[in-house]
Amino acid sequence: NEAVRGALESSGVSGAAVDRVYVANFAGELFNSQGHLGAALAGADRALLNKPSLRLEAACASGGLACSESVRAIRAGDDCAMAVGVEVQTTVDARTGGTYLARAADYERQGTIDDFLFPALFARRVKAYTERYPSCTVEDIAAVAAKAYANGNLNPKAHMHTRQLSLEKAKASPRFLS
């Protein structure tokens, strides 16, 4: 609710002006025992009550999908659409969380690759990419990681906004190459 109120306030748009809302969320039921998040936003602003509001789930792409659908709504005639992303994945231990996140993959086939499935899968992709394109170096990949952390640090509400990753540290830990 805090994010919705903050978005309305910072944009100068009232809840009454919003025609529809898309809530991006992957695993609310698992991490927080909270489903049906589209309707929950009315708690942030009563003016959102009775507006079309739904949750979109597309794993890591949930936020992008909510933005895309907001654009579609405006192109289809709505004056104002809101895309909201919400995910709290710190309510369980890392191993349980990893099991929850593995549900976004082919769980039966890939779920046992690693306790932290997606870092392992992404590492495999990076390894395959650097093997196919040798001009892409560890330094290149490290620069992307360092930039991502720096961008996350610009948002005080980002999940790991206090984590620092220097280019030197990123270059020194290329796990994906082993």
Side-chain angles (χ1 to χ4, degrees):
N1 287 343
E2 178 184 337
V4 172
R5 286 191 293 272
L8 292 171
E9 183 180 310
S10 69
S11 67
V13 173
S14 71
V18 175
D19 294 314
R20 70 183 61 241
V21 180
Y22 296 99
V23 182
N25 176 265
F26 167 58
E29 295 91 344
L30 297 170
F31 284 97
N32 311 101
S33 299
Q34 179 64 57
H36 200 51
L37 290 169
L41 292 188
D45 188 318
R46 299 292 294 165
L48 296 175
L49 191 63
N50 300 319
K51 303 282 178 111
S53 181
L54 62 116
R55 172 184 160 199
L56 298 171
E57 185 281 307
C60 295
S62 298
L65 182 60
C67 290
S68 173
E69 290 306 306
S70 293
V71 169
R72 283 180 182 269
I74 291 168
R75 292 180 115 191
D78 284 339
D79 290 322
C80 181
M82 177 182 268
V84 178
V86 59
E87 201 75 62
V88 177
Q89 297 180 353
T90 56
T91 58
V92 298
D93 62 87
R95 181 161 300 191
T96 302
T99 300
Y100 291 167
L101 295 175
R103 287 166 168 83
D106 184 328
Y107 192 79
E108 292 297 318
R109 187 170 59 86
Q110 298 171 313
T112 59
I113 289 173
D114 191 275
D115 283 346
F116 302 101
L117 177 62
F118 283 100
L121 290 176
F122 295 151
R124 286 179 175 192
R125 286 186 176 183
V126 168
K127 184 175 182 182
Y129 187 87
T130 56
E131 287 172 356
R132 183 170 182 180
Y133 302 101
S135 63
C136 180
T137 66
V138 171
E139 289 77 17
D140 296 331
I141 301 298
V144 171
K147 183 176 181 178
Y149 271 82
N151 286 338
N153 284 322
L154 297 175
N155 180 353
K157 296 188 184 294
H159 171 58
M160 294 181 6
H161 75 278
T162 60
R163 291 275 176 98
Q164 301 292 322
L165 181 66
S166 67
L167 182 57
E168 292 73 30
K169 186 174 179 182
K171 287 192 302 191
S173 55
R175 253 187 74 187
F176 60 87
L177 293 176
S178 57

